[in-house]
Amino acid sequence: MLRESLQAIKQRIDNQARLCHRDPNTITLLAASKAQSHEVLREAYVAGLRQFGENYLQEGIEKQKKLQDLSITWHFIGPIQSNKAAAISAHFDWVHSVARASIAHKLHQYRAATQPRLQVCIQVNLDSEPGKSGVRIEDCEDFVLLFSQLPRLELRGLMAIPMPHTEYSEQFNSLIRLKQLQEHLNKTYNLRLDTLSMGMSMDMEAAIAAGSTLLRVGRALFGERE
Ligand SMILES: *Cc1c(COP(=O)(O)O)cnc(C)c1O
């Protein structure tokens, strides 16, 4: 079952990449594995997946313990509570959901010098939705400057969870703003942000067209969550 859905997702990626004149190898598939058991993650690993994204610290750590024998890259993709930042920094390879300066400072502070640098993305509130986590587009310039003082963090790019549009054109119009922001920041500050973490089960095609380099896919891979 998982094998088949993985095959179908890869086919969607290949088809859309071809339509967009993109190399499908420049698009990484991350399994958004919240609410899935460690057995299911192991099955996904055997099927070929190596990147897993978790939303909750405890749940993520428990799966990591059970899957220690596998070479998984662990991504934290959920909202970050201040009192969890230290443990998130210690246990994950990537954090996609950095949206507050105080959190960035904590992630930096608790990343051991013996570990590789923590790979981070800034979560952007693309549609300026009130109450939704993410840095507003207009505040991103100031926010990226912070990272020059945080050498244990490597700022890799931008992440977004746009409004759940069902129309392709609406999805695309929202997602393309993240691409434009990436280009603007790279040009203005001479950065080399190479990661656009966007695209989920329902908007993968629009995200690929808009330049996504990392799709976070849950339901299309594992089925509906309980
Ligand atoms: C759950 C989740 C996803 C995956 O969403 P699906 O609709 O299940 O593909 C992607 N990103 C984040 C941050 C999530 O929490």
Side-chain angles (χ1 to χ4, degrees), residues 32 34 55 77-78 159 161 200-202 216-220 225:
K34 59 175 176 275
N55 291 58
I77 62 176
M159 179 273 230
I161 307 171
M200 313 195 286
S201 297
M202 305 310 282
R216 308 178 313 268
V217 177
R219 289 172 293 161
R225 286 178 286 275

Side-chain angles (χ1 to χ4, degrees), residues 3 6 30 34 63 71 76 83 100 113 119 125 127 131 140 145 148 152 160 195 201 205 208 213 219 223:
R3 255 177 204 289
L6 177 58
L30 174 149
K34 59 175 176 275
K63 292 177 196 173
S71 48
F76 192 86
N83 62 342
R100 285 178 7 226
Q119 307 295 296
N125 186 348
D127 302 298
C140 280
L145 296 178
S148 62
R152 302 302 308 145
T195 301
S201 297
E205 279 79 7
I208 291 169
T213 66
R219 289 172 293 161

Side-chain angles (χ1 to χ4, degrees), residues 35-169:
Q36 306 300 332
S37 68
H38 62 91
E39 289 94 346
V40 170
L41 271 69
R42 185 173 291 275
E43 197 186 330
Y45 183 94
V46 171
L49 287 165
R50 293 294 179 268
Q51 315 289 323
F52 290 84
E54 289 287 331
N55 291 58
Y56 306 101
L57 174 65
Q58 278 318 317
E59 183 184 335
I61 289 178
E62 275 158 35
K63 292 177 196 173
Q64 289 172 357
K65 279 190 198 137
K66 295 266 186 355
L67 302 171
Q68 269 176 22
D69 56 315
L70 308 181
S71 48
I72 289 175
T73 301
W74 291 98
H75 299 249
F76 192 86
I77 62 176
I80 305 171
Q81 291 167 262
S82 187
N83 62 342
K84 304 279 170 68
I88 289 170
S89 183
H91 285 92
F92 286 81
D93 303 301
W94 281 71
V95 177
H96 291 232
S97 41
V98 181
R100 285 178 7 226
S102 60
I103 297 290
H105 280 285
K106 283 216 169 100
L107 292 172
H108 169 72
Q109 186 186 346
Y110 291 99
R111 187 70 175 179
T114 51
Q115 288 181 292
R117 294 203 287 164
L118 183 66
Q119 307 295 296
V120 305
C121 292
I122 297 171
Q123 183 171 350
V124 180
N125 186 348
L126 263 191
D127 302 298
S128 302
E129 293 174 84
K132 183 154 176 175
S133 55
V135 180
R136 285 172 183 256
I137 290 180
E138 58 271 29
D139 297 329
C140 280
E141 293 202 11
D142 285 341
F143 200 75
V144 294
L145 296 178
L146 178 75
F147 291 86
S148 62
Q149 306 154 37
L150 305 175
R152 302 302 308 145
L153 307 185
E154 181 168 6
L155 181 61
R156 293 294 300 273
L158 307 174
M159 179 273 230
I161 307 171
M163 283 171 72
H165 296 297
T166 49
E167 283 283 321
Y168 178 91
S169 60

